[in-house]
Amino acid sequence: MARAVRFDQYGGIEVLYVADVDVPAPARGEVLVAVRAASVNPGESAMRQGYLADLYPASFPSGQGSDLAGVVTQTGEESGTFAPGDEVLGWTDARTSHAQYVSVPVDHLIHKPANLSWEAAGSLYVVGATAYAAVRAVGAGPGDTVGVSGAAGGVGSVVVQLLRVRGAEVVGIASPANHAWLRAKGATPVEYGPGLAQRVREAAPSGLDAFIDTFGKDYLELAIDLGVAPERIDTIIAFEAAGRLGTKTEGSSAAASADVLSELAELVSSGRVEIPVAATYPLDRVREAYEELERRHTHGKIVLLP
Ligand SMILES: NC(=O)c1ccc[n+]([C@@H]2O[C@H](COP(=O)([O-])OP(=O)(O)OC[C@H]3O[C@@H](n4cnc5c(N)ncnc54)[C@H](OP(=O)(O)O)[C@@H]3O)[C@@H](O)[C@H]2O)c1
């Protein structure tokens, strides 16, 4: 038997519990991974609350979790280059990574660079693929100044750093507590709240060339008002406004590949991109992990260590 996060009905944090379940057997093309780290993401809260039931209906009992890093303990048939003892990172689309063991298709895994921490490795897929897709969508590069909302959050912190790797200037919208971190990454921090448009104009006197929204609210309208062309705006959350305003909506599914994950893992292991870890929790404290996440002020990632 092994421990795994479960919920039996849509609802708040109180529906989450940790159950004793059978250790899954890897199917053809899969390997069994003993999970060392698995981050939590806001999309999992939304699914658990039933907000995405039309798109991604749950079947109960349901698990949670996409991101994962751990050690291969068993291989199914046709499991490619993976062998027991290999350290890996990747993702599952079956919402099962918040568990001690998870069976994962081998094309959703890569070998973990030795110097990549378990916490960073188990946080990389969702925020990494999403940030990668958003940065690619706005085509940012040298000479561009890019506005980013939620600039120190899980996705935003990777967006900011990928933009800097590409040679763009960044105006990062975040609360003052995160301004020192943004400055250290070479971004110009700006506080959200009343007067934001004016503060962005002062931070980018020649104007913004592109905008990446990771928070929602009125940020697409702000970007349009600041003169950014809709085709150089990407949101990962404000889909209704994006349809109305003609902006892009590229997120994790646009960059969900082992090749992208390898590129990201190399950027992190070489020190060019940091995955800030806000907090870690043992599996039994999964409710506290989501409570912290749902306050919506996480800097970087909250990670379960099963
Ligand atoms: N489409 C996709 O593929 C995709 C993939 C991943 C995530 N998402 C969605 O993207 C969103 C962000 O995900 P995440 O993992 O980055 O979340 P997160 O780590 O919880 O980040 C939340 C961030 O929001 C910031 N924030 C709070 N109030 C704000 C305000 N009024 N204005 C601007 N920023 C504010 C916080 O910054 P301060 O602490 O500085 O206040 C915090 O850094 C979520 O809604 C998630 O569901 C979509």
Side-chain angles (χ1 to χ4, degrees):
M1 300 294 278
R3 309 278 284 158
V5 173
R6 290 282 182 269
F7 64 103
D8 297 337
Q9 64 190 76
Y10 291 124
I13 282 163
E14 68 284 355
V15 302
L16 291 172
Y17 63 97
V18 180
D20 288 318
V21 300
D22 290 331
V23 175
R28 181 187 293 265
E30 294 185 343
V31 297
L32 184 66
V33 178
V35 180
R36 297 288 298 273
S39 90
V40 300
N41 285 287
E44 286 142 18
S45 297
M47 283 185 215
R48 188 199 67 237
Q49 292 171 84
Y51 297 147
L52 303 177
D54 290 346
L55 271 178
Y56 307 109
S59 57
F60 300 116
S62 175
Q64 293 238 274
S66 302
D67 295 336
L68 64 101
V71 180
V72 173
T73 59
Q74 201 184 325
T75 55
E77 287 172 44
E78 296 175 23
S79 53
T81 60
F82 295 100
D86 285 356
E87 297 185 346
V88 295
L89 70 136
W91 77 98
T92 169
D93 291 327
R95 294 183 221 159
T96 47
S97 73
H98 295 165
Q100 287 179 320
Y101 288 93
V102 59
S103 192
V104 188
V106 288
D107 60 356
H108 289 17
L109 290 175
I110 63 170
H111 291 276
K112 183 179 86 63
N115 64 343
L116 191 59
S117 72
W118 285 115
E119 289 86 348
S123 298
L124 200 53
Y125 166 68
V126 172
V127 297
T130 307
Y132 187 101
V135 168
R136 187 175 59 188
V138 302
D144 285 329
T145 302
V146 185
V148 181
S149 61
V155 178
S157 60
V158 183
V159 164
V160 164
Q161 295 176 86
L162 291 181
L163 287 168
R164 297 294 295 140
V165 166
R166 284 185 166 223
E169 298 298 322
V170 178
V171 174
I173 299 165
S175 62
N178 291 318
H179 286 192
W181 184 85
L182 285 165
R183 271 192 209 96
K185 297 299 168 191
T188 303
V190 168
E191 185 176 1
Y192 51 77
L196 172 61
Q198 184 53 28
R199 286 193 291 282
V200 173
R201 284 192 193 96
E202 286 163 12
S206 305
L208 294 181
D209 302 290
F211 196 96
I212 295 175
D213 167 43
T214 77
F215 186 74
K217 222 177 146 206
D218 302 327
Y219 283 109
L220 297 191
E221 284 85 353
L222 174 81
I224 299 276
D225 288 349
L226 288 167
V228 183
E231 63 272 19
R232 296 207 69 194
I233 301 173
D234 191 74
T235 181
I236 60 167
I237 188 69
F239 302 124
E240 182 279 323
R244 191 163 30 83
L245 298 168
T247 75
K248 293 184 172 175
T249 55
E250 289 189 21
S252 60
S253 58
S257 76
D259 286 346
V260 167
L261 196 56
S262 294
E263 221 179 294
L264 291 162
E266 205 281 319
L267 284 168
V268 180
S269 67
S270 66
R272 280 181 291 166
V273 169
E274 177 199 3
I275 303 294
V277 176
T280 61
Y281 290 90
L283 203 61
D284 284 342
R285 289 172 60 199
V286 61
R287 289 182 182 180
E288 287 167 71
Y290 277 104
E291 253 165 34
E292 182 174 345
L293 181 76
E294 290 176 21
R295 285 185 215 121
R296 299 199 74 182
H297 290 291
T298 305
H299 169 42
K301 297 299 297 172
I302 296 168
V303 191
L304 294 173
L305 302 178

